[in-house]
Amino acid sequence: MLEIAYKINHTEVMASSVADAVGQRFASPYFEVKNDAFKASIEFYLLNDYLSIQMSKFEQTEPVTVKRLGTENEQLLILDFHVSGVAKLEVTDNRVENTPNGLSHGAYFASSTVESYAVFPPGFNNQQFHIVMDKRWLKEFFSDEIVTSLQRIEKASPFFIYERLNNSITTLLLAVFRSNHQMPFRKTFLHGKTLELLALFFAKLQDRGTHLELGVSNYNDVFRLFDLMLYVDENLGEELAVTVLSKKIGFSESKLQNLCKAVYGKSVSKEITERRMIKALELFEKYQDSISAVGYKLGYTNMSHFSKAFKKVHGFLPSTYLNNRKK
């Protein structure tokens, strides 16, 4: 199995680690890897002394493990956008072990000391956008717009935050990945898109309010929470009471609630509701079922409650969505 390990740092160091792992050398900010087991493209730029990015696109015929190692530089923050695919992830506190679980489409924002271990299965097609930034630069560049959020995050340090990608962020990321790496003023183009991504991400993060102050003291707890949410995703049609879930994970109800708020930014019940509504949209798209059929599949007996929950998450009623699909 191919293994790639890199230490959190600005991108030339990270890209060099990836290149070494696959026996590749590079003399420019862009390089490709092609062999029987692995195909990838890596692009990286140091945008300024405090901000760098790395774009990775890869697919493989054999499993690939990726270890992201922490750093002692507490000023650095790592923000990873995973645009496609589902892999296996474990989050650790400098103890990388072989029990990964739960990496999916979304954004992962973490302290520089937080490590992770991911396994990408054969046939996996992934696009990742990594941003490494210095907290001091963030405060100076974004000024008052971000300082309150950063103060709350610093209270929570160390932290590990997961955010779903909204349409604006996903659209922007896809546009970046579809752009030509040989285009004129490439670095300038990516610099602008990176700042736009950060603005969109931190605007979304601000919605967490005081939940940003909740830190993660034990990264094994994060792994167990991911594992629990995989169970939730497989049983969305069942009653998923917090009392039952807390016993399943082996936490008190208050610990489970606080951990869920720290990682996902919301209570357990709200996180489950959001997962149900995301699944509802998937069911409507795939099977074109009636509102009541989808509602029952997701554990709802009152379709008015189902429709209200759907609108709260997606911004429109399920009837509106189905009617638009028929046009």
Side-chain angles (χ1 to χ4, degrees):
M1 180 187 294
L2 176 63
E3 180 177 296
I4 298 172
Y6 64 89
K7 191 170 186 177
I8 296 173
N9 203 322
H10 285 294
T11 51
E12 186 167 349
V13 176
M14 290 167 54
S16 178
S17 298
V18 174
D20 288 343
V22 296
Q24 180 78 28
R25 293 292 177 267
F26 59 87
S28 69
Y30 179 88
F31 66 94
E32 295 183 348
V33 180
K34 291 183 181 180
N35 55 48
D36 292 340
F38 187 72
K39 182 170 68 174
S41 65
I42 309 289
E43 188 173 6
F44 60 95
Y45 289 97
L46 181 65
L47 301 176
N48 61 47
D49 290 341
Y50 305 103
L51 176 67
S52 61
I53 59 171
Q54 179 174 300
M55 295 170 57
S56 310
K57 292 191 282 189
F58 65 85
E59 57 183 301
Q60 67 284 331
T61 59
E62 299 176 2
V64 174
T65 65
V66 178
K67 295 181 179 180
R68 192 186 73 191
L69 307 176
T71 178
E72 296 74 32
N73 185 351
E74 295 183 357
Q75 291 298 327
L76 291 183
L77 299 173
I78 181 83
L79 175 56
D80 287 346
F81 293 97
H82 292 260
V83 185
S84 57
V86 176
K88 299 293 185 180
L89 174 72
E90 182 189 7
V91 178
T92 80
D93 51 352
N94 298 312
R95 295 191 301 272
V96 176
E97 299 173 356
N98 296 334
T99 52
N101 217 330
L103 175 68
S104 61
H105 179 95
Y108 296 80
F109 184 43
S111 307
S112 60
T113 56
V114 178
E115 301 192 339
S116 67
Y117 174 97
V119 177
F120 298 93
F124 188 87
N125 189 341
N126 192 37
Q127 299 178 111
Q128 300 175 16
F129 195 101
H130 307 270
I131 303 176
V132 180
M133 67 204 104
D134 190 293
K135 287 187 285 189
R136 293 165 295 193
W137 169 82
L138 272 175
K139 291 176 183 177
E140 181 179 347
F141 185 84
F142 285 96
S143 189
D144 295 340
E145 294 176 306
I146 205 172
V147 68
T148 302
S149 294
L150 282 177
Q151 286 174 345
R152 285 177 168 169
I153 289 170
E154 286 175 335
K155 287 181 181 179
S157 189
F159 66 90
F160 185 91
I161 290 172
Y162 171 82
E163 274 288 338
R164 291 185 177 88
L165 305 185
N166 58 25
N167 288 338
S168 298
I169 293 175
T170 300
T171 300
L172 178 56
L173 285 166
L174 290 176
V176 170
F177 277 107
R178 288 168 182 162
S179 61
N180 189 340
H181 73 274
Q182 295 179 320
M183 67 186 296
F185 304 105
R186 177 65 169 171
K187 183 176 178 179
T188 303
F189 167 80
L190 291 176
H191 196 167
K193 296 301 181 185
T194 300
L195 296 179
E196 189 176 350
L197 269 175
L198 288 173
L200 290 172
F201 175 78
F202 282 109
K204 196 171 189 295
L205 206 62
Q206 283 182 330
D207 293 339
R208 294 192 176 210
T210 56
H211 292 342
L212 284 173
E213 298 175 11
L214 296 170
V216 175
S217 58
N218 185 333
Y219 295 108
N220 184 54
D221 291 348
V222 179
F223 160 66
R224 291 167 69 183
L225 178 64
F226 284 170
D227 197 43
L228 181 68
M229 288 304 166
L230 289 176
Y231 169 82
V232 166
D233 287 339
E234 293 170 355
N235 295 275
L236 290 173
E238 306 298 324
E239 183 178 356
L240 295 166
V242 176
T243 52
V244 175
L245 294 175
S246 62
K247 289 179 181 178
K248 185 172 181 63
I249 197 175
F251 293 164
S252 67
E253 290 183 39
S254 61
K255 179 175 179 176
L256 176 57
Q257 289 284 15
N258 285 336
L259 183 63
C260 190
K261 290 174 183 177
V263 176
Y264 293 108
K266 56 183 73 69
S267 67
V268 175
S269 60
K270 287 183 178 179
E271 176 63 21
I272 291 171
T273 297
E274 190 162 322
R275 287 171 182 265
R276 281 182 167 136
M277 295 309 106
I278 291 171
K279 184 64 176 180
L281 199 61
E282 179 185 321
L283 292 172
F284 284 134
E285 181 73 24
K286 189 173 182 179
Y287 299 111
Q288 300 183 15
D289 284 345
S290 68
I291 294 172
S292 58
V294 170
Y296 284 129
K297 284 179 182 177
L298 295 174
Y300 284 85
T301 55
N302 186 317
M303 293 308 113
S304 176
H305 292 169
F306 170 65
S307 292
K308 287 179 180 177
F310 188 94
K311 184 177 181 180
K312 190 169 184 179
V313 171
H314 296 298
F316 47 84
L317 290 168
S319 57
T320 302
Y321 176 76
L322 290 175
N323 288 336
N324 287 338
R325 280 184 58 82
K326 292 176 183 178
K327 293 178 181 179

